Amino acid sequence: MRPIYILGIESSCDDTSAAVIQGDCLLSNVIASQKVHEIYGGVVPELASRAHQHNIVPVVDLALKQAGIDKSQLSALAYTRGPGLMGSLLVGTSFAKGFARALNLPMIDVNHLQAHILAHFIRQKGEEHTPPAFPFLCLLVSGGNSQIVLVKSYKDMEIIGQTIDDAAGEAFDKCAKMLGLPYPGGPVIDKMAQSGDPEAFHYSHPQVPDFNYSFSGLKTSFLYHLRDEMAKNPNFAEERKPDLCASLQKAVVDILMDKLYKATKALKIKEVAVAGGVSANSALRAAFSDYARRYQWRIHIPKISYTTDNAAMVAICGYFKYLDGDFCSIDAAPFSRVSV
Ligand code: KG4
C-alpha cells in the first residue's frame, strides 16, 4: 500500500509551523516563532498576520525537505481552520487552499484544540510510545482555554468543564505583568518559582460549580495582595518575586488539579492527559506525576515541543480524518471562536 503522507499547517496565533507525517510517524516539524510581539507585552494580531505571510513559504519548504519527500508524494494537506486570530488563520488557510488546488490535494480542516489533544498520538521514529487509551480525560490548558475534555475517540470529544472567565495561562500572563515580568509570563513565573516558597502566600480558590474553572478571582486576589504589601513596603514585589511566583503557581496548579481529580472520580477514569501551552509548567507536570502515584492514574504528559503551537499536532489530526475520508471543501472559511 502507498504510504500516507500528510502536510500539516498551523498559523492560528503567533507561530508559523509546517510538519510532515507518514501515517502516525512524524518526519518533520518546523516552527517559526515571532519575536516581534515581545516589546508589546502580548501578541499584536496585525503583526502576527504579516509575519505569517513572510514565514509560511520557507517553513513549508523546509518541512518537506527535512521530511525527505517531494510535494508530489503528499496524500493530503491538513490546516488549522480555527479557533485563533482571524488574520493569522486567513494566512494559513489561504496558503493551504492555493497549495492544495495547485497540487490537486484533498484538504482537511483541523480544530486547533482537538489537535492539542491528539498530539499525544504522534509517534517519533525509534521511540517507545504508549498513546492514551479511550476514553480518557484531557486537561487542556493554554492562554485562551482551560477545559476538561472527555475524549471518547479521535473525533468524539466532550467538554465536561471549562473556565467561566480567564484561562490559566491568562492568569499567569496577567499576574506576571503586575510583577513587571515580560510576556509571555507563564514560563518566566515557572522559572522564578524554582527558587521561591510555594507556601509563602495563600490566594483564594474559586467556588464554581461542577467541573468548571475560574481564574479571575485569583488574579484579583494577587493584585490586592501586591497593592496592600507595596503600600507598606514599596520594594515588596522586587524582594519577594520568587515567593510570589511560587505561591501563585501553586494556587493555579491546585485549582486545576482539584477539578480534574473530581472529574476522574465522578467518571471513574484513570487515563489522564494534559495538553496546551500551560502543560509545559513544571509544577503542573510534577502534580500529574504525584497524582499518578497517589491515585494510580495512567498519565500522558506531552513533550515540551508539543505544548506550544505546532503543525505536528495538526498533521496527526489530519491523518485520523484522512483515514475516515473526512475532507473539507475548498471554500471552508476559518473561524476565530469554537470549542472542541
Ligand atoms: O497553547 P499556547 O501556546 O497558546 C495559546 O494560548 O493558544 O499557550 C500559551 C500560554 C501562555 O499563557 C503562556 O504563558 C503559557 O501558555 N505557558 C506557561 C508555561 N509555558 C507557556 N504557563 C506556565 N508555565 C509554563 N512553563
Side-chain angles (χ1 to χ4, degrees):
M1 205 179 91
R2 235 180 113 222
I4 298 168
Y5 292 111
I6 311 278
L7 170 68
I9 292 176
E10 156 65 30
S11 75
S12 64
C13 190
D14 59 339
D15 292 300
T16 319
S17 181
V20 178
I21 212 158
Q22 178 183 356
D24 62 351
C25 183
L26 187 67
L27 300 183
S28 66
N29 185 32
V30 177
I31 305 175
S33 298
Q34 304 176 1
K35 299 278 169 236
V36 64
H37 309 284
E38 274 169 15
I39 53 165
Y40 299 101
V43 176
V44 183
E46 182 52 35
L47 295 182
S49 314
R50 287 186 214 168
H52 283 307
Q53 281 179 328
H54 185 78
N55 293 337
I56 195 142
V57 171
V59 162
V60 169
D61 189 44
L62 189 58
L64 287 165
K65 283 202 177 99
Q66 286 186 359
I69 67 157
D70 185 77
K71 53 186 183 303
S72 61
Q73 291 173 267
L74 290 170
S75 317
L77 181 151
Y79 71 99
T80 303
R81 185 172 168 192
L85 297 172
M86 188 45 87
S88 293
L89 289 166
L90 273 168
V91 178
T93 305
S94 307
F95 178 88
K97 288 179 180 180
F99 194 88
R101 174 58 63 95
L103 292 168
N104 208 17
L105 282 175
M107 283 178 73
I108 302 166
D109 58 335
V110 167
N111 178 313
H112 180 80
L113 302 176
Q114 284 189 349
H116 266 301
I117 295 172
L118 294 185
H120 286 286
F121 294 87
I122 300 168
R123 204 163 50 83
Q124 212 99 32
K125 236 184 204 156
E127 262 186 29
E128 271 297 305
H129 177 54
T130 316
F134 300 116
F136 66 94
L137 285 175
C138 186
L139 176 68
L140 181 56
V141 268
S142 69
N145 295 278
S146 294
Q147 303 175 333
I148 300 176
V149 184
L150 171 61
V151 188
K152 299 174 207 169
S153 73
Y154 298 117
K155 54 183 179 182
D156 190 1
M157 305 185 189
E158 183 189 343
I159 298 169
I160 59 161
Q162 62 187 322
T163 182
I164 56 166
D165 42 54
D166 292 351
E170 209 175 339
F172 276 125
D173 295 339
K174 287 183 175 163
C175 291
K177 201 168 182 183
M178 293 174 206
L179 290 173
L181 298 172
Y183 177 88
V188 191
I189 288 190
D190 191 353
K191 202 161 168 222
M192 283 237 155
Q194 312 281 334
S195 56
D197 174 8
E199 300 294 343
F201 310 111
H202 294 273
Y203 298 109
S204 65
H205 283 207
Q207 304 297 324
V208 276
D210 308 320
F211 305 126
N212 293 323
Y213 290 116
S214 164
F215 288 99
S216 74
L218 171 65
K219 196 183 62 188
T220 311
S221 131
F222 189 78
L223 176 71
Y224 288 173
H225 174 232
L226 263 190
R227 184 197 60 188
D228 295 347
E229 293 295 336
M230 300 280 279
K232 292 182 250 167
N233 169 15
N235 296 325
F236 175 76
E238 212 41 56
E239 288 168 6
R240 304 295 301 273
K241 238 177 221 174
D243 288 344
L244 285 161
C245 290
S247 303
L248 173 75
Q249 180 172 271
K250 181 178 186 316
V252 174
V253 171
D254 285 352
I255 293 168
L256 289 173
M257 295 308 288
D258 179 51
K259 284 293 171 83
L260 182 61
Y261 174 67
K262 286 185 175 137
T264 62
K265 290 263 288 181
L267 278 83
K268 298 188 175 50
I269 290 179
K270 284 183 182 277
E271 194 89 18
V272 195
V274 60
V278 180
S279 68
N281 184 266
S282 58
L284 183 59
R285 290 171 165 245
F288 257 72
S289 301
D290 180 40
Y291 275 60
R293 266 190 307 274
R294 275 161 54 197
Y295 305 114
Q296 293 80 50
W297 287 5
R298 286 176 301 280
I299 54 166
H300 304 273
I301 300 176
K303 280 180 193 255
I304 291 287
S305 54
Y306 298 153
T307 61
T308 51
D309 291 343
N310 66 86
M313 65 186 197
V314 178
I316 189 83
C317 225
Y319 169 63
F320 292 127
K321 288 185 99 172
Y322 181 91
L323 295 181
D324 276 348
D326 187 358
F327 303 110
C328 72
S329 125
I330 193 121
D331 51 19
F335 44 75
S336 56
R337 281 176 183 274
V338 76
S339 63
V340 294

